[in-house]
Amino acid sequence: MNYNKKTVKDVDVAGKKVLLRCDFNVPLAKDGSGVITDDKRIRAALPTIQYLLDQGAAVIACSHMGKPVASFDKWVKKQAEKGKDPATLTEEKWQKSLKELRMEPVAARLSELLGKSVILADDVVGPDAQAKAAALKSGEIMLLQNTRFEAGETKGDPELAKQMAALAGKDGVYVSDAFGAVHRAHASTAVVADYLPAVSGFLIQKELEVIGGALADPKRPLVAILGGSKVSSKIGVINNLLEIADTIIIGGGMAYTFSAAQGGKVGDSLLENDWKDYSLEMIEKAKAKGVKLLLPVDTVCADAFSPDANAQVVKAGEIPDGWQGLDIGPETVKLYCAAVADAGTVIWNGPMGVFEFEKFAVGTKAVADALSKTSAITIIGGGDSAAAVQQLGYADKMTHISTGGGASLEFMEGKELPGVACLMNK
């Protein structure tokens, strides 16, 4: 895939309307108050927004939030699948579910951060959005309603994309800056580029330069740390990285499938029996390629999945019946930390254990600490590993923390990302 894409600095936006796709999918308080509990995704969009406004563009920002169901009938069906009684599901409740995912809290927070009013549309491509976009002047910003309120958004509907592009007018420009959504071929993330010249914002530019650079021409040795729960979710990543990396480190729940594949006892640990053969194939492939594949040599196991469960350290492959592995052990910690100490580049995706429980966060914390002390380029691949690094207080010590979990995974798999492929090449 070509990572060398045109950016906002390669086009003239002065006096033009810019349709800007952001990732404002922020977490909200569960009490329905609309309070944003973490605004870092809004903050991440500020450099691009401010640049466009400073250049005299009129900015039409858009984003999805959550997973609203755009029709009442589909909402009833989805709720019924979750075990809800259809007789209790009213149109009023559906409307309430939509109201909780409206963009008012985002518009308010964005106004505060920019220090200027953000005009909010009542719809995505309806009469209100059209009127407000038509009246928008240079240096002003408006925000469309949740793009997923339109049923055609997730289907990549060309007609919806055309209507969104029309808001920016015949001289308009499309700027993509929602890295967390570029792996989806939705109307607002990819298809809209069929109707407007499309470039990246600064956020996507950085992701492409840092992650793309690490995959295409890494400073060596390249060490990849892969954790998380399942081998099945990391197949493509392991496969691709075996072609590029010098060392691959396996941790988290997926390590127990590798252990069981080699005849180890894993007790009640997370295990994907269907992926044992694949795990053995990866071990053989690593040997054939001359890639070091490091697996845990010991494990912290517990008698229950609980923050205060009884715990003990055992050798890898010797977890007693009734116990489950929840973290890498102390000898593994030493092994993994030594592997990153002299690295040139480290890519990390997925925690080493159940970092949400303090007792079983030791391995994840030790790896984060080791990365904070290395002189290597350190890239955290979004999702749980990004959350762990931030929660443990190491975020400011990393070279780059990706803003997209699923997108960064697919990026590392070598897959084409629709929201990047649609941008103009340099």
Side-chain angles (χ1 to χ4, degrees), residues 223-227 247-252 254-256 258 292-299 316 327-343 346 348 350-353 363-364 366-371 374:
V223 178
I225 306 169
L226 300 174
T247 300
I248 294 179
I249 291 171
I250 302 289
M254 60 195 276
Y256 305 112
F258 276 88
K292 283 183 194 169
L293 182 66
L294 300 182
L295 296 164
V297 293
D298 59 352
T299 301
D327 196 8
I328 55 174
E331 292 305 313
T332 305
V333 165
K334 286 179 198 168
L335 179 70
Y336 289 3
C337 290
V340 302
D342 299 320
V346 182
W348 182 14
M352 296 293 96
T364 302
V367 168
D369 186 62
L371 292 196
T374 179

Side-chain angles (χ1 to χ4, degrees), residues 57-194:
V59 178
I60 304 165
C62 64
S63 174
H64 74 285
M65 193 197 291
K67 294 180 179 177
V69 182
S71 83
F72 175 62
D73 290 344
K74 281 188 179 171
W75 178 77
V76 169
K77 189 179 173 188
K78 278 192 176 285
Q79 295 300 308
E81 285 168 3
K82 293 176 186 174
K84 300 276 174 68
D85 179 1
T88 67
L89 303 174
T90 63
E91 197 144 341
E92 188 182 355
K93 286 183 180 176
W94 169 58
Q95 290 289 354
K96 184 174 182 286
S97 77
L98 294 181
K99 190 178 177 185
E100 287 172 357
L101 293 175
R102 285 178 64 84
M103 303 304 285
E104 275 79 355
V106 173
R109 185 66 185 126
L110 188 54
S111 293
E112 289 171 11
L113 292 168
L114 286 172
K116 70 185 298 167
S117 176
V118 173
I119 300 159
L120 181 65
D122 268 344
D123 45 31
V124 182
V125 289
D128 193 58
Q130 288 175 29
K132 284 173 176 168
L136 199 67
K137 297 182 180 69
S138 292
E140 291 184 336
I141 177 169
M142 67 177 282
L143 177 63
L144 304 178
Q145 267 306 331
N146 190 336
T147 57
R148 289 189 184 172
F149 285 172
E150 293 286 340
E153 162 71 334
T154 55
K155 294 173 186 167
D157 178 24
E159 189 52 42
L160 174 61
K162 197 174 182 179
Q163 289 172 16
M164 293 186 82
L167 297 175
K170 58 180 173 45
D171 296 323
V173 174
Y174 171 66
V175 175
S176 174
D177 214 26
F179 185 71
V182 291
H183 58 311
R184 309 203 183 280
H186 291 176
S188 72
T189 59
V191 186
V192 71
D194 290 344

Side-chain angles (χ1 to χ4, degrees), residues 23-24 39-48 177 202-203 403:
D23 183 3
F24 292 149
D39 68 356
K40 71 173 169 288
R41 284 182 175 167
I42 301 176
R43 288 177 182 275
L46 294 178
T48 298
D177 214 26
F202 297 133
L203 192 64
T403 52

Side-chain angles (χ1 to χ4, degrees), residues 305-370:
F305 187 84
S306 162
D308 52 4
N310 294 313
Q312 62 173 318
V313 177
V314 298
K315 284 183 179 174
E318 295 183 11
I319 299 174
D321 292 344
W323 290 67
Q324 55 190 296
L326 297 186
D327 196 8
I328 55 174
E331 292 305 313
T332 305
V333 165
K334 286 179 198 168
L335 179 70
Y336 289 3
C337 290
V340 302
D342 299 320
T345 307
V346 182
I347 298 175
W348 182 14
N349 189 288
M352 296 293 96
V354 186
F355 75 95
E356 300 89 343
F357 298 161
E358 194 176 338
K359 199 170 184 175
F360 305 107
V362 176
T364 302
K365 190 167 186 175
V367 168
D369 186 62

